[in-house]
Each structure stands twice: as C-alpha cells, then as structure tokens.
Amino acid sequence: MQNNFLTSIRSLKLIDGCKGAQVYTVNPLSTAGEKLASLRPTFSLRSKSIGPQLQPHHHHSPSFDSLLSTFGLPSIDLIDPPIDPFIRPIEPIDALASSFRAISSTASSSSSSSLCDIYLEHHSLLRSVGDPKQLRRALRSARLHSSDVHHKIVLSAWLRFERREDELEPLVSPISCFPTSPAIECPRAALSPGYSPDAPSDHCPCRCSPDHSASPLAPSVRPPDLEDDEIDLWFRIGDEEIPCLRSRIAALSKPLCALLYGDFAESRREHINFTHNGISARGMRIVDAFSRGGSLNEFPPDTVLEVLVFANHFCCEGLKAACDFKLASIIRNVDDALLFIDYALEEAAYLLAAACLQVFLRELPRSLQNPEITIIFCTPEGRERLASAGHASFVLYYFLSQVAMEEDMKSNTTVMLLERMVECANTGWQKLLGMHQLGCVMLERGEYKDAQKSFEVAVQEGHVYSLAGVARAKYKKGHKYSAYKLLNSIISEHCPSGWMYQERSLYCHGKERTNDLIMATELNPALPYPYKYRSVTLAEEDKLGAAVAEINKILGFKVSTDSLELRAWFYLALGNFDAALQDIRAILTLDPCYMMFHGKMHGDQLIDALQQYVHQWDMADCWMQLYDRWSAVDDIGSLAVVHQMLEKEPGNSSLRFRQSLLLLRLNCQKAAMHCLRMARNHSAQEHEKLIYEGWILYDTGHRKEALAKAEESIAIQRSFEAFFLKAYALADTSMDQTSSSHVIQLLEQANSCASDNLRKGQAHNNMGSVYVDCDMLDEAAECYLKALGIKHTRAHQGLARVYYLKNQKKTAYDEMTKLIEKAKSSASAYEKRSEYCDREMARSDLNMATKLDPLRTYPYRYRAAVLMDDRKEEEAIIELSRALSFKPDLQLLHLRAAFYDSIGNQAAAARDCEAALCLEPDHADTLELYDKIRGRAIEQQK
C-alpha cells in the first residue's frame, strides 16, 4: 500500500459555525484479554507505589514489576498547578481595552520608541490570551516601530526564533535569510538605523539587486579633493613616516584640530612623533586615506580595529563610525562575533556590538550553552559592558529570559537573566513582569523565601495575580493558613476568577476543596488542574474507570502531555496496557524528549517495558488500525499508530506528513511544523520534497510560492499529493466560477493517481465542498456519498449541508446524528446539528457542545442571541460574559458590545469594541460599531 495521507484538516471550505478544535474519541475501557487481565496489579493508590502482589500463577516481568514498584502512580501532592509566568490582569477585558487606547493615542504622536514599548507591553498582556498569531502580530508591530538598531536586532531575532520551525532547512549563516523569510526579520535590515513603519513589507537588502544592495548604514563617502594634494605633515611611527594633509587630519576631530592648529608644539612641526600613540604605520595610512577619501573598503579587519581604537582615543566620530560599519559588515558567525565582541564593548562600537549580539541572538538557544556568551549576557559586569555600548535593554533580557525559561526553568542562567531583566526595567509593567517571572523561577527551584520577596515586589507594582505566588511560597514554607487567608481576601476584594478558587483549593481539605474546584471549573472550564485532581482522587478511591472518564473531559478539548500521562497511569493501573501504550506514544509525538513518572524515566523506556504485554503489529496491521482510528475521528489513537509505524519506517516522509496533520487538529502548531519539515527532509524523491515544501510555504502564508512548488512537482511526476496541493492552494487564492471548475478538475486528476482510500475520501469530500459553493448540490451529494463509501466519516457533515440546502432539514439532522454516533465525543458535530432542528433541540445540542468543548464560542453566541430575541438583555450579556471571563474572543466581544449599545450602555459597548480591536485591529464590523458609538458620545458632549 502506498503510504499516502489524509488531509482532512485541509478542507477547502469550512462552515464558520463548525470551525475549531476537534473532540477525540477514546477507546472504551475493556479487558486486554485473559492474559492481560491476569497481569493486573493489586494495589491502593493511597500509597505512592504499586504493590508487587500479582496473580500467583503468572510471572510478571522483573523490569515492569520493578518499574511499577519504583515509580508508583500519581499523587495529589505532585500535581499542583504552576503559577503562570506572565501578566494576568484581574479584569482581562478592561486591560485589553486600555492597551488599545494606549496604542491609539500614542500612534498619533511622533514618539516611535514609545509606541515600540507599548507594543511590547501589549505582547506581554496577550500571553495570557495564548494566541500565537496575536503574539506575533504584537512583536511585529513593536519591530516596525523600532527606531534604533538595538531594538531592531532583538525584535527581528525574536520573530525569527518564534518561527524557527517554519524554514525548510537550517540557515547556513545566522545573518542570512531565505527568499521566503519575512523581510521584517532580515538581519541586514535590522542593522539599518531609522524609523520607517511605512516601508514596503518586501524591502529586504538580501533580495535587492547588486546595484542597490549597499546598506544605508554605510558612511557617506566624500571624494578626494584632487586640487588639495600638497603634503605638509608627516607622522613618524617607528622607522616609518606617513605623509598626510594637515587640514584633513585636523578635520577628523576637535582634539586633532587643537593638536595641529592650537597652542601645542605639534602645530608648528611638520614631522610629529606618533610612535607611542597606539597605532601602527599601516593604521596611520588608513587614517590618512580616510581623511582624503572617506573610505575603508580595502583594508584588513585587524588594522581597521586598530584604527577604531585610535578614533576613540582622539574622538574622531566619522572615522569611528566608518570603522564600526566596516567591522560590523564582516561578522558572519558565532566565531567572528566572539572574536570581536570584547573590542566592540571596550571601544563602545555600537554597530559592531549590535552585529555580534545579532549573531548570538539568532543562534539561540544554543548560544546560552556557551560560557563566553553567558558571561556577557548573565553577569552584572556583562550587563554594564553592554550598557556602555548602548546594548543593555529590557527588551533584550525579556527575549533572553523567555528562551531560557523555555529551555530550563530552574537553571542559574534563567535566574541571572531575569535579574538583569529587572535591572533594566524602566516602567511599572516591566518591573512587575520581571519580578513575577523571577518569583515563578525561584518557586520552581524551591527557594521559597526569595520567591515570596519577588512576588511581593510584583504585587507592589500592581500585579494582583502575583498574590497567588506569595500564597504558594507561604504554603511551601509551612504557612498554610496564611496562604488560605490571602486567597480569601483576593476573592472578596475582586471579581472572582477560576484561578482564584483553584489556588485556594490547595490550602483546604475535603468538601471545601472539592467545592472550590467545582467553582473553578464553572468559572473557567479550561483549567486542567481541577480535572486532574478529581481524577486522582477517584483513582485513590479505586474508581479507576471514573478517574479515566474525568480526565477524558479535559482531553476532549485540550490535549496536553501531563493529562495524557495521567490517563496512561490509570490505564496501567487497570491493566489496559494497549490504551496506556497509545497515550505514551501520543505523548512522545507531542514531545519526543518527555520524561514519565515525574521526570524519572524516558517514555521510550516505558514503551519497551510495555511491549511484551501487547499484541505486536506489523505494518499491514498498523495501516488497518490507522484506517479505523482515522475514520472514527480518533486523533490521539491515530497519532499513536503513526508513532509506532515510524519506529518501523523512520524515514517515511508520508507518515511524518500525516503526523503533522494530526498535530494541527490538536492545535500543536510548532510540533506540526516540525513534523512537516521532517517530512520534507526525509523525502527521497524530488517531487515529494517539492510537495512538502509547498505545504510549508502555504502554512506560512506564501500561497503563490506553494502553487509554484505543486506545479514543479507535477512537471516531474503526476501524483495525488501534487494535484491536491495545487487544488488547495488555488482554491484559497481565488474561488470564482472558473477557478472552482479548475479545482474540481485538479481533484479529479488527483483521484486518478495512486493513493489509499483515506486520501481519496478526503479528495471526494473537498470536491463536494466546491460543488456546494457552486450550487451544484446533486454533484456534491454524489461526492459525499463516495467519500462515505470509503469510510470518510466527516463527509456526513457535508452531506447534511446538502440536504439542508435542499430544504430537507430532518434528513440533514439525521445525517449529523450518524456523525455523532461514529465520533461519539464530537462537539463540532453537536454544534453543527443544532442548525438543523428547532430551538429547543438546538439548545440541547449546543449545551452538549459546550459540555464537551467549553472553548467553542458559537454556542454562547447562539444562546445569547436567543435571550436577546426574548428581550432578556441582561441574561444575554451574562451568557457572553461567562465565556469572556476565560476566553477573550473577538466575536464574543463584538456581540456583547452590540448588546450593550442596544440597551444604551455606551461606555461598556466602547470598552468591548476596544478590547475586540486590541485582538483584531482591522475587524471591519467592530470598527464600524466603534465609530458609531464614539460619534454618539461626541454628540452628547456637545
């Protein structure tokens, strides 16, 4: 069987109401056969290890028996939620609105540096929202409004770091960029001073023609004055004399002018001894050449460095700038940067230091493993040296700290970088962020006294959430009641949030703790800890089935490695080794370096220990299992099967690509891009490599380039994947009648090529979507039925849409019911089915959708709209506010703003518009509503 793939995530047209994360079915609890049932251990989860007693007539593997008795099962004491290391405002919507107003008011001023700082603050605020696209947009805006080289190199490197999985291959040089790299990340452009937010987005020096590639940093070259060629001054250095023009040398700086034309004896001499002024004869010739022509192009770097020292000594600003530029232009790699950084800092060579720093930043996180570099970044002396050269800033240490925390939260490097970050803080938000993050790191390191002090400083700067850190530090020091009282005061003084009740639950017991966690889930159902706590508690009561059901609730809409590990533990306790192995494989797909059992054992070792208790599949078995799980919309199960297949065929690029699609469904974008790039790198055939390059380009916004890659691939070899990519890219760029026909032809050509049924099912499904858009319903129905005939389950949704458009509402409802029965925990299916029934049944379906996936926003909007239709305005606003309290969402904010406007609460309506525009500045409907609200406010003031 050809190892092709199913790209159901890449549907050509998605119904707005059904966009969002999928819900994943879980294998039901079942015995793993008589042999596995007899291997089930007997133990109590109240102890921290599994008892060794097993059925006496079976032999337990020593390795597995030792494994269980050594590491045991999860304990409530070991699953405490971390303190989030970012700014978490008490009133998120108010904070977003305030950020929008700050950006708007500052944008009209001429202070670009202020706007850059405001966008950085905006970025720090958006971290609590957690949308990577919004975070990148904020960083991009900060970079666009950077006026100095330092901020440009830092923010360009930061943007590149966040996108590091997107490139086709590692860059040959840290100062190079690919043709498809965003121009705003160009390292050469970052070294150009000046403020140009309106510059063309494709303006990249690396892509300019040779005639226009000169950097604007280059000093203006003054041509030599051919008439003024009379030598009237010689500098003696050792045994050599260098002829010069007195007037030109004097023009280099005021000190040299005073020396040659002032009251000094040298002003009356034609021969001046310069032997002891720290410059060689060759260096002095460079000074003379520069004084005549203003150029350093033909001189070697070591001599230019010598001239730089001379220029600094005699305050020759023009000469220093030329040397600075010349040396900065030759920095190509880490070795170059390490060679020159000390000179740059010692001589305060701003541009040379920037070029060296840029290389270090673009080599992160590897740079932080180099002791020579960490001394510069981490030590107080290093920060002072950077400051003397104009390169110590909050944004530099903000970036470095994020990288360090991502690599190792507890390392000394992380602590030192955060300390430097606090030292560079100039405003309140900068200091509170630095101190809060330092507190989080100290808490993780077990240094509770220092953690408490850091959190308390952050609280003094206005960050209420840092009180949770203060309470946690007190609790760890044994002051549990004091921590409880502190959380009580937070809840009583502020509008309650889910995190407040979650935090307070740590400091109480029994029913009170249970009630707090119930309230935490009610206020914020996306918090993982309450589900984890309840599942572990059930497991300790030997209710393992209920424990699995509880953790499944969070895994249904928010997949994470720690929740999967918890479920794997429960399956181990049940003796369901197949299910446990599935979850462990899924974990290693999300994080190949994941350590199980509280960081004590690598997941691969656990897989090896479990292998002997499960049926071993060959590749044919794996394909059949993958087919079943993919058809059942079981993405976690599919991930596990693909992981096992890659163990057998690690170079299979098709499987890597299929893995990337599954990860996209699970909202793991970075991991998905990594798999996509590995698929490209493992491709043995050029036409396959071009296809994967095309998908990488498509996913990073380069639609035309993706289309070109598909056409290149087809020119080499006609294949399903190439035609499918071309159809998809074409459909996304234009969908008029002509292009729709072309897309259908491309999909038909794809299906004429060899592929597996999963892939053909996707093509039929996408073809049906195009036919629906062209109002060719009979042809669409035929395509969907073909897809269903080869078990492409999602085609039920498209077929239901066809029935609905034919006014067969009951049939559409029944079709969606079939999808729900096959993908039993599908929140999107319930949500879509609600469109095909009466109001009461729709509300029931949408309530189920919310129960299965509380992060889906359509159900809240629907219920709120129904309440507004019933003239229950306050209840409608409460419904929207319920979701907005844990998920700031553009559509929810826009709708609530409209509701507030309809009841005359213009202040609240304006605030919600501002918060929505903070998330999406170009949202046309919100801009229109906001203008109307402001217009009415102005009229009332008049």
Side-chain angles (χ1 to χ4, degrees):
M1 181 183 293
Q2 182 178 353
N3 294 341
N4 294 312
F5 45 82
L6 173 65
T7 52
S8 55
I9 191 66
R10 305 185 189 280
S11 58
L12 290 172
K13 287 288 183 179
L14 295 175
I15 307 300
D16 288 342
C18 291
K19 288 181 179 178
Q22 296 293 326
V23 177
Y24 321 100
T25 57
V26 180
N27 292 338
L29 295 176
S30 61
T31 60
E34 185 176 347
K35 179 180 178 182
L36 290 180
S38 65
L39 287 172
R40 176 177 173 178
T42 58
F43 63 95
S44 170
L45 276 170
R46 297 190 184 282
S47 64
K48 294 188 179 181
S49 63
I50 297 177
Q53 297 83 12
L54 299 169
Q55 299 293 339
H57 54 281
H58 282 279
H59 291 287
H60 205 57
S61 165
S63 61
F64 190 53
D65 192 26
S66 173
L67 168 76
L68 294 176
S69 61
T70 301
F71 298 118
L73 286 198
S75 165
I76 289 174
D77 298 334
L78 298 176
I79 61 170
D80 286 353
I83 302 294
D84 293 327
F86 47 73
I87 295 175
R88 182 182 286 283
I90 288 291
E91 297 289 351
I93 306 304
D94 289 344
L96 289 172
S98 177
S99 180
F100 173 79
R101 291 193 297 271
I103 292 170
S104 300
S105 61
T106 309
S108 58
S109 70
S110 59
S111 177
S112 61
S113 60
S114 297
L115 198 53
C116 176
D117 290 339
I118 288 173
Y119 275 116
L120 281 174
E121 183 178 3
H122 179 55
H123 173 269
S124 68
L125 179 64
L126 288 175
R127 287 196 64 202
S128 62
V129 178
D131 187 332
K133 290 182 179 180
Q134 292 173 355
L135 287 168
R136 179 169 177 80
R137 184 167 57 218
L139 276 181
R140 187 177 185 276
S141 297
R143 164 64 182 86
L144 282 171
H145 291 88
S146 302
S147 59
D148 61 87
V149 169
H150 173 74
H151 279 74
K152 286 183 178 183
I153 64 165
V154 175
L155 291 168
S156 295
W158 198 341
L159 285 165
R160 176 69 186 87
F161 179 81
E162 293 296 336
R163 202 182 51 80
R164 60 194 181 278
E165 294 293 351
D166 296 357
E167 297 290 9
L168 302 180
E169 292 178 342
L171 289 171
V172 176
S173 167
I175 64 162
S176 61
C177 57
F178 287 117
T180 55
S181 299
I184 200 171
E185 296 176 13
C186 176
R188 290 181 61 189
L191 288 171
S192 303
Y195 171 56
S196 54
D198 299 323
S201 59
D202 60 349
H203 178 69
C204 173
C206 298
R207 300 169 203 164
C208 294
S209 62
D211 294 338
H212 300 88
S213 60
S215 170
L217 275 180
S220 59
V221 178
R222 176 171 53 85
D225 186 352
L226 299 179
E227 296 180 0
D228 188 10
D229 58 356
E230 183 178 352
I231 304 300
D232 58 356
L233 179 65
W234 288 262
F235 286 98
R236 185 182 302 111
I237 299 175
D239 296 330
E240 296 186 55
E241 286 194 341
I242 297 88
C244 302
L245 296 175
R246 183 183 294 269
S247 60
R248 295 295 177 83
I249 297 296
L252 291 176
S253 71
K254 289 183 178 180
L256 285 175
C257 183
L259 178 71
L260 298 178
Y261 286 107
D263 296 330
F264 295 96
E266 285 79 3
S267 64
R268 296 180 295 276
R269 295 176 183 170
E270 293 184 350
H271 298 266
I272 300 175
N273 189 349
F274 245 47
T275 302
H276 302 294
N277 277 282
I279 189 167
S280 66
R282 185 172 60 172
M284 199 63 208
R285 289 191 182 93
I286 293 180
V287 175
D288 172 61
F290 180 83
S291 72
R292 299 182 190 218
S295 174
L296 295 174
N297 290 337
E298 299 178 359
F299 299 104
D302 57 339
T303 310
V304 175
L305 187 61
E306 182 184 332
V307 174
L308 173 66
V309 177
F310 171 87
N312 238 355
H313 183 69
F314 285 98
C315 303
C316 305
E317 295 301 327
L319 178 59
K320 179 180 178 180
C323 294
D324 198 8
F325 169 76
K326 172 68 175 179
L327 294 170
S329 67
I330 67 172
I331 303 300
R332 292 286 181 271
N333 51 47
V334 172
D335 291 337
D336 292 343
L338 286 173
L339 183 64
F340 283 96
I341 185 64
D342 286 332
Y343 296 106
L345 298 180
E346 187 68 27
E347 301 300 328
Y350 180 74
L351 203 59
L352 177 57
C356 296
L357 285 180
Q358 178 167 250
V359 171
F360 297 155
L361 295 177
R362 287 176 178 262
E363 287 290 304
L364 290 170
R366 289 191 300 272
S367 301
L368 294 180
Q369 299 168 6
N370 188 317
E372 294 181 73
I373 297 175
T374 53
I375 287 174
I376 296 169
F377 283 144
C378 297
T379 63
E381 296 77 16
R383 187 191 70 82
E384 290 177 4
R385 295 180 70 202
L386 287 171
S388 67
H391 288 289
S393 68
F394 177 83
V395 66
L396 171 65
Y397 286 103
Y398 186 11
F399 175 31
L400 290 170
S401 298
Q402 303 317 300
V403 176
M405 291 171 70
E406 185 178 312
E407 288 296 301
D408 185 357
M409 188 82 164
K410 300 179 182 180
S411 71
N412 292 334
T413 297
T414 303
V415 173
M416 289 189 287
L417 287 172
L418 285 169
E419 289 173 343
R420 305 292 83 76
M421 176 180 167
V422 172
E423 292 169 359
C424 291
N426 295 318
T427 60
W429 78 267
Q430 293 177 353
K431 187 173 182 180
L432 75 84
L433 175 62
M435 294 305 296
H436 179 77
Q437 291 187 330
L438 187 58
C440 291
V441 169
M442 291 300 186
L443 197 64
E444 287 291 316
R445 287 164 60 99
E447 300 176 28
Y448 304 125
K449 184 177 179 180
D450 290 336
Q452 182 176 336
K453 289 180 180 178
S454 297
F455 284 129
E456 286 172 345
V457 174
V459 172
Q460 291 171 4
E461 295 294 333
H463 193 219
V464 176
Y465 178 64
S466 291
L467 285 170
V470 175
R472 191 73 68 89
K474 288 184 175 182
Y475 169 61
K476 293 294 185 179
K477 292 193 299 181
H479 307 303
K480 189 173 183 179
Y481 182 63
S482 178
Y484 180 83
K485 285 173 59 180
L486 186 55
L487 264 298
N488 266 344
S489 66
I490 297 174
I491 292 172
S492 62
E493 294 172 9
H494 302 280
C495 181
S497 297
W499 67 263
M500 299 177 187
Y501 286 94
Q502 173 180 278
E503 193 67 23
R504 192 175 70 174
S505 73
L506 302 177
Y507 315 129
C508 51
H509 295 286
K511 190 173 182 179
E512 189 177 359
R513 186 171 196 176
T514 301
N515 290 338
D516 270 358
L517 290 175
I518 291 173
M519 180 60 73
T521 299
E522 183 177 330
L523 292 172
N524 185 353
L527 290 173
Y529 174 72
Y531 301 95
K532 292 165 67 176
Y533 173 85
R534 288 188 289 263
S535 64
V536 172
T537 301
L538 289 166
E540 288 189 340
E541 297 171 358
D542 291 329
K543 299 176 181 178
L544 293 169
V548 171
E550 182 64 28
I551 202 65
N552 281 346
K553 293 177 183 177
I554 186 71
L555 283 170
F557 64 92
K558 191 174 183 180
V559 175
S560 64
T561 51
D562 53 345
S563 295
L564 281 170
E565 181 184 14
L566 204 55
R567 190 171 70 176
W569 257 327
F570 300 150
Y571 281 139
L572 285 174
L574 284 165
N576 190 344
F577 301 126
D578 286 288
L581 194 57
Q582 171 182 288
D583 283 348
I584 296 164
R585 290 189 181 280
I587 290 168
L588 292 178
T589 303
L590 294 171
D591 181 1
C593 299
Y594 194 83
M595 302 293 289
M596 303 287 293
F597 297 113
H598 306 296
K600 298 175 182 176
M601 183 180 191
H602 195 280
D604 285 333
Q605 293 176 276
L606 187 54
I607 288 177
D608 291 340
L610 288 171
Q611 290 278 27
Q612 59 188 297
Y613 301 111
V614 299
H615 177 70
Q616 298 299 307
W617 297 336
D618 58 21
M619 283 300 287
D621 294 329
C622 287
W623 275 107
M624 292 184 65
Q625 293 290 335
L626 180 60
Y627 192 97
D628 291 341
R629 284 162 173 75
W630 202 291
S631 298
V633 199
D634 179 9
D635 292 336
I636 293 178
S638 299
L639 269 184
V641 176
V642 173
H643 184 272
Q644 185 170 353
M645 296 169 81
L646 283 169
E647 284 184 345
K648 302 176 186 296
E649 297 182 7
N652 191 319
S653 59
S654 169
L655 291 174
R656 294 285 181 189
F657 195 11
R658 192 184 299 269
Q659 200 174 50
S660 76
L661 298 176
L662 289 164
L663 289 166
L664 281 175
R665 287 188 198 159
L666 297 172
N667 201 29
C668 303
Q669 296 178 358
K670 288 187 178 181
M673 290 305 298
H674 177 71
C675 289
L676 194 52
R677 192 171 68 178
M678 290 186 70
R680 182 262 184 196
N681 293 342
H682 281 96
S683 297
Q685 303 295 325
E686 182 63 23
H687 74 278
E688 286 185 354
K689 185 176 293 187
L690 288 167
I691 293 165
Y692 300 136
E693 288 178 0
W695 282 120
I696 292 172
L697 290 167
Y698 178 86
D699 288 339
T700 52
H702 300 91
R703 306 295 196 258
K704 292 181 180 179
E705 292 87 345
L707 194 60
K709 290 288 184 181
E711 291 170 347
E712 282 185 61
S713 180
I714 292 171
I716 297 173
Q717 179 174 323
R718 294 165 58 90
S719 68
F720 183 100
E721 288 81 358
F723 282 116
F724 192 91
L725 171 61
K726 184 175 180 179
Y728 196 84
L730 181 63
D732 192 59
T733 53
S734 173
M735 278 303 287
D736 54 24
Q737 190 69 33
T738 303
S739 61
S740 295
S741 299
H742 191 190
V743 168
I744 290 171
Q745 291 173 5
L746 288 169
L747 291 171
E748 288 174 343
Q749 287 177 298
N751 268 340
S752 69
C753 300
S755 65
D756 58 53
N757 278 342
L758 294 177
R759 196 72 171 109
K760 286 182 179 290
Q762 180 59 42
H764 285 305
N765 188 74
N766 285 6
M767 210 182 306
S769 298
V770 180
Y771 277 127
V772 168
D773 292 334
C774 296
D775 201 27
M776 301 170 67
L777 301 183
D778 290 337
E779 291 83 351
E782 183 180 351
C783 288
Y784 288 128
L785 288 170
K786 286 181 180 178
L788 289 171
I790 49 180
K791 295 186 178 181
H792 184 70
T793 308
R794 288 181 176 83
H796 283 297
Q797 182 169 306
L799 188 57
R801 185 184 178 200
V802 170
Y803 290 139
Y804 179 72
L805 293 173
K806 288 184 173 183
N807 292 320
Q808 300 174 16
K809 195 171 182 179
K810 176 64 169 61
T811 310
Y813 180 89
D814 292 341
E815 197 65 32
M816 288 305 301
T817 302
K818 294 176 184 177
L819 177 57
I820 290 171
E821 289 171 351
K822 292 179 181 179
K824 299 186 184 301
S825 297
S826 178
S828 64
Y830 278 107
E831 182 179 288
K832 188 60 183 176
R833 191 176 72 170
S834 70
E835 298 179 22
Y836 309 138
C837 52
D838 59 37
R839 177 180 286 193
E840 287 305 314
M841 295 176 69
R843 290 188 66 173
S844 175
D845 273 357
L846 290 174
N847 288 340
M848 178 59 74
T850 297
K851 180 180 178 181
L852 295 173
D853 183 357
L855 296 179
R856 303 185 75 87
T857 60
Y858 174 75
Y860 300 98
R861 288 185 280 133
Y862 177 89
R863 289 189 291 262
V866 169
L867 289 167
M868 283 297 287
D869 287 344
D870 295 339
R871 299 185 181 278
K872 298 178 180 178
E873 294 88 352
E874 294 297 331
E875 293 179 40
I877 289 172
I878 290 172
E879 177 67 23
L880 294 175
S881 301
R882 174 188 167 202
L884 283 168
S885 65
F886 63 88
K887 183 178 174 61
D889 174 80
L890 173 66
Q891 297 292 341
L892 292 173
L893 284 166
H894 175 77
L895 189 58
R896 193 173 73 169
F899 288 176
Y900 274 128
D901 184 52
S902 69
I903 63 174
N905 190 341
Q906 293 184 359
R911 177 205 61 201
D912 281 357
C913 283
E914 290 162 351
L917 293 172
C918 184
L919 299 175
E920 181 55 67
D922 299 323
H923 191 248
D925 291 341
T926 304
L927 284 168
E928 182 181 354
L929 177 60
Y930 188 48
D931 288 341
K932 290 179 180 178
I933 293 170
R934 287 193 300 171
R936 283 197 294 268
I938 292 172
E939 289 177 3
Q940 290 177 0
Q941 289 177 356
K942 290 181 179 179

